[in-house]
Amino acid sequence: MELYAGKEKQEAKYYMWTEDRIWEWYEKQPWIVGFNYVPSYAVNSTEMWQSGSFDEGQIERELSAAGKLGYNACRVFIQYLLWKDEREKLFEHFERFLKIAHSHGIRTVPILFDDCAFSGKEPYLGRQDEPIEGVHNSGWTPSPGSAAADCGEEYPLLERYVTEFVTRYGQDERILLWDLYNEPGNNGREGKCQELLQSVFRWARSCSPAQPLTSGVWSFQEFDLECAGLSDLVSYHDYSEMKTTVERVGLLEEYNRPLLCTEWLHRNADNRWETHLPYYKKKRIGLFNWGLVEGRTQTYLSWNEEENLREGGALDWQHDVLRKDCTPYREAEIELLSSLTASDERPLQIPVQEMTAECMEFLEKKGLIIRLCPSHHRFEVECGYGIGKDLYRSNDQAGGHKLLYAGINRTAFDAFGMHDENEEILLLGGEGEKDLYLLIGLASWEEFLKKKRRGTLSEEDFICLRCKYNDPFVSFFTMRQGVLHGEAVGEGEGLPATFYVTEPAGIQLEVFPMDHYRISLVP
């Protein structure tokens, strides 16, 4: 079979979404919290969709339960062999599935190809084998399977399969994104998956879908890291303990694209709700735990068969979150899930520092302010003469200078933003007034926007000062143009905080869109 040449490999990447486009898309999404879904009645993807076994009622019950828990997405495997055998029935069942999922606030991630083959068999039609006692996922078959994937004559049909799905649903808002190829190279196919991997991206991109495309890194070896280089957003599988998870996230962040963990949850390997879910929330990495309901896949069992067959079974369920009757396996896990998905707010707790000479010197060295204290700007003047030196000049278009007094009586930094010209802040007075806090961003607007889109804004990106009045060494300074800053007062009794500002009459304020971030202060 002839492999694609370098030019054709580049074509698979040609229509990749730009970094700006994928970050803009990701910023509009809620925190993506999903699950890999195989209904409890199905031993594999064939039994899930096939005529004679597709069970709309069971899907309704299980997705209803998922929606109530706070899930907003699910990942489902499509079987190519069914498309060949009963194409219209497959589309009919898929459409009915989408309607059910959407009615419960769940968007769908279809998976078109898959190299996983726990059963050791090629996909087949008709009645599927019964699960083997004590064996994890004993009936799982790949799609399309090695025979079809390695057959050049099959490629026109594989292409048609992909383009029919992506064309039919490529503008459908019920589809979150496309996971084109699950674990390419699994089942001993490390050196055989590249052609199909590159081809499926090229075929899907030719349909110009409104949703991004991905294929997940799963072994973190060279052959499957190619997935990250082809994907609009970088997805990956990770069943490891926290230390390895953090290392893998650090590696994949180098691609400068949103991250999505499309498979996780391995309780007996310390890949748990209480360890990983808060981390992913803080990083705003979307995630899909493996399994929803205890069922015929038996993915609640361990990969280690000896653990499953010993008296008492494995210590913990490996995957899955609900029992057959849709009650939680562990109430504490569901409570954590519900609490973290109840709001998409991302709290930032900024410690308050005193306005000292050292703090002001730090801000000046970073180019954020100009300190206005006589000793700071003292210079030699010949006896009998007077000299003035410019610290800066405003743009002529900004208009004449004005002196104003500002009053602050809000406890939220609602006007956190930047001016297009310098302004002087003169902290005079302060008697009987509420504490005044000055919040300053330590990076540029562009860097803040980049971090906000990536969900990586943190407390380290800010400094918050409790303002000090009437001190010649700290109370008078210039806030430079383009520096993000805002003012708020503390809770409690007292007069509104007041101070003087001198600035060009035409100065403009652009408020930074904090969106889901909520700032609170730590005294």
Side-chain angles (χ1 to χ4, degrees):
M1 180 170 58
E2 183 179 352
L3 292 175
Y4 287 108
K7 178 183 176 183
E8 291 173 299
K9 179 178 178 179
Q10 289 301 313
E11 287 176 356
K13 300 179 66 173
Y14 183 75
Y15 295 107
M16 276 182 69
W17 286 18
T18 63
E19 286 185 24
D20 283 345
R21 183 183 179 189
I22 188 59
W23 280 114
E24 182 179 352
W25 176 88
Y26 194 70
E27 190 178 9
K28 293 176 182 176
Q29 310 305 316
W31 180 41
I32 298 168
V33 183
F35 55 95
N36 286 270
Y37 183 57
V38 182
S40 58
Y41 66 77
V43 75
N44 56 29
S45 58
T46 303
E47 198 164 41
M48 175 176 179
W49 302 107
Q50 188 171 233
S51 295
S53 54
F54 180 77
D55 189 337
E56 190 171 355
Q58 190 65 24
I59 291 171
E60 165 65 38
R61 286 187 289 275
E62 293 173 359
L63 295 191
S64 173
K68 292 173 182 175
L69 297 181
Y71 285 112
N72 56 30
C74 70
R75 188 169 173 258
V76 295
F77 291 75
I78 312 298
Q79 178 52 254
Y80 165 72
L81 191 60
L82 289 178
W83 175 84
K84 286 183 69 176
D85 183 68
E86 50 177 42
R87 174 175 167 275
E88 289 307 320
K89 271 295 181 185
L90 176 61
F91 280 125
E92 176 188 326
H93 292 165
F94 186 65
E95 176 63 30
R96 285 155 66 183
F97 176 87
L98 288 181
K99 287 181 178 178
I100 295 170
H102 188 67
S103 73
H104 296 294
I106 295 170
R107 299 173 72 190
T108 298
V109 178
I111 305 160
L112 300 182
F113 293 141
D114 175 24
D115 273 352
C116 284
F118 284 89
S119 68
K121 297 180 179 180
E122 291 284 278
Y124 57 96
L125 298 171
R127 184 178 177 83
Q128 302 296 294
D129 291 342
E130 290 298 307
I132 299 173
E133 182 181 356
V135 179
H136 176 108
N137 217 359
S138 64
W140 196 261
T141 55
S143 173
S146 298
D150 296 339
C151 176
E153 295 178 358
E154 194 79 15
Y155 267 54
L157 278 177
L158 294 172
E159 178 179 5
R160 184 183 164 198
Y161 161 68
V162 171
T163 56
E164 278 195 5
F165 257 101
V166 179
T167 298
R168 185 176 293 214
Y169 292 103
Q171 309 300 317
D172 194 321
E173 65 177 10
R174 299 171 299 179
I175 302 294
L176 178 63
L177 57 101
W178 297 89
D179 195 339
L180 298 176
Y181 197 162
N182 181 68
E183 299 198 355
N186 204 333
N187 193 34
R189 293 182 45 76
E190 294 92 339
K192 301 178 181 179
C193 62
Q194 282 74 20
E195 181 179 8
L196 186 57
L197 177 63
Q198 294 160 20
S199 296
V200 68
F201 273 94
R202 187 174 65 255
W203 298 334
R205 292 199 196 286
S206 72
C207 305
S208 300
Q211 311 94 345
L213 310 179
T214 194
S215 176
V217 176
W218 63 280
S219 71
F220 289 83
Q221 299 179 46
E222 183 176 350
F223 78 89
D224 77 319
L225 282 170
E226 183 177 359
C227 295
L230 291 168
S231 296
D232 296 322
L233 80 169
V234 175
S235 63
Y236 64 100
H237 297 175
D238 179 57
Y239 292 108
S240 60
E241 79 293 338
M242 200 68 222
K243 181 177 181 294
T244 301
T245 295
V246 172
E247 291 172 353
R248 288 175 169 179
V249 167
L251 171 68
L252 297 177
E253 283 178 332
E254 296 180 9
Y255 288 89
N256 293 318
R257 291 176 176 269
L259 300 186
L260 202 61
C261 182
T262 48
E263 289 188 24
W264 78 283
L265 185 58
H266 187 346
R267 294 179 181 91
N268 289 327
D270 286 333
N271 188 269
R272 295 173 169 271
W273 291 89
E274 60 270 26
T275 56
H276 285 60
L277 199 64
Y279 170 77
Y280 284 132
K281 169 82 180 212
K282 185 175 182 180
K283 298 282 288 185
R284 205 167 184 267
I285 295 173
L287 71 166
F288 294 73
N289 60 268
W290 184 273
L292 179 67
V293 183
E294 172 189 12
R296 283 166 58 79
T297 58
Q298 300 183 152
T299 52
Y300 55 89
L301 295 177
S302 171
W303 285 324
N304 185 331
E305 293 179 26
E306 292 183 3
E307 289 184 20
N308 300 327
L309 295 175
R310 72 186 180 192
E311 186 177 353
L315 295 176
D316 260 332
W317 277 15
Q318 179 165 305
H319 305 316
D320 302 330
V321 296
L322 298 177
R323 300 186 186 276
K324 292 177 182 178
D325 61 0
C326 290
T327 58
Y329 168 62
R330 281 218 173 108
E331 287 285 354
E333 294 177 344
I334 300 307
E335 289 173 3
L336 179 62
L337 172 64
S338 298
S339 68
L340 291 181
T341 56
S343 169
D344 201 23
E345 286 190 358
R346 282 155 268 166
L348 292 172
Q349 296 183 309
I350 313 297
V352 174
Q353 301 183 39
E354 298 301 325
M355 185 177 272
T356 63
E358 290 76 17
C359 279
M360 303 305 278
E361 182 179 6
F362 164 77
L363 294 172
E364 186 171 46
K365 286 181 177 179
K366 287 187 70 68
L368 304 177
I369 67 168
I370 302 171
R371 290 186 291 159
L372 303 177
C373 55
S375 60
H376 189 47
H377 294 111
R378 189 169 288 131
F379 56 91
E380 293 293 328
V381 181
E382 188 176 345
C383 188
Y385 289 87
I387 299 175
K389 291 187 176 181
D390 290 349
L391 288 176
Y392 71 89
R393 284 181 178 269
S394 298
N395 190 306
D396 291 339
Q397 282 71 43
H401 244 64
K402 64 182 179 182
L403 176 66
L404 60 94
Y405 62 92
I408 304 295
N409 201 19
R410 59 171 178 255
T411 57
F413 293 96
D414 296 332
F416 182 76
M418 69 177 189
H419 292 297
D420 58 348
E421 291 288 341
N422 289 357
E423 62 174 355
E424 279 66 59
I425 296 176
L426 313 173
L427 297 172
L428 294 167
E431 297 84 359
E433 297 177 357
K434 297 178 180 179
D435 283 341
L436 177 65
Y437 297 107
L438 176 63
L439 183 69
I440 300 174
L442 299 178
S444 68
W445 176 287
E446 292 75 17
E447 185 64 23
F448 258 66
L449 192 61
K450 180 179 178 181
K451 287 190 171 188
K452 191 198 78 167
R453 285 180 170 178
R454 286 155 171 73
T456 58
L457 267 181
S458 72
E459 289 82 358
E460 286 71 30
D461 296 309
F462 301 84
I463 186 170
C464 184
L465 302 177
R466 190 196 320 271
C467 292
K468 187 176 183 181
Y469 284 79
N470 309 316
D471 185 329
F473 295 100
V474 300
S475 302
F476 316 111
F477 54 93
T478 298
M479 185 66 68
R480 287 185 178 274
Q481 69 182 71
V483 174
L484 287 160
H485 67 284
E487 303 88 11
V489 295
E491 302 281 357
E493 299 296 323
L495 299 170
T498 57
F499 55 94
Y500 294 94
V501 177
T502 174
E503 62 189 18
I507 196 170
Q508 299 293 315
L509 170 66
E510 186 172 2
V511 176
F512 186 81
M514 292 297 289
D515 295 340
H516 302 298
Y517 284 98
R518 294 293 176 266
I519 291 173
S520 61
L521 302 183
V522 181

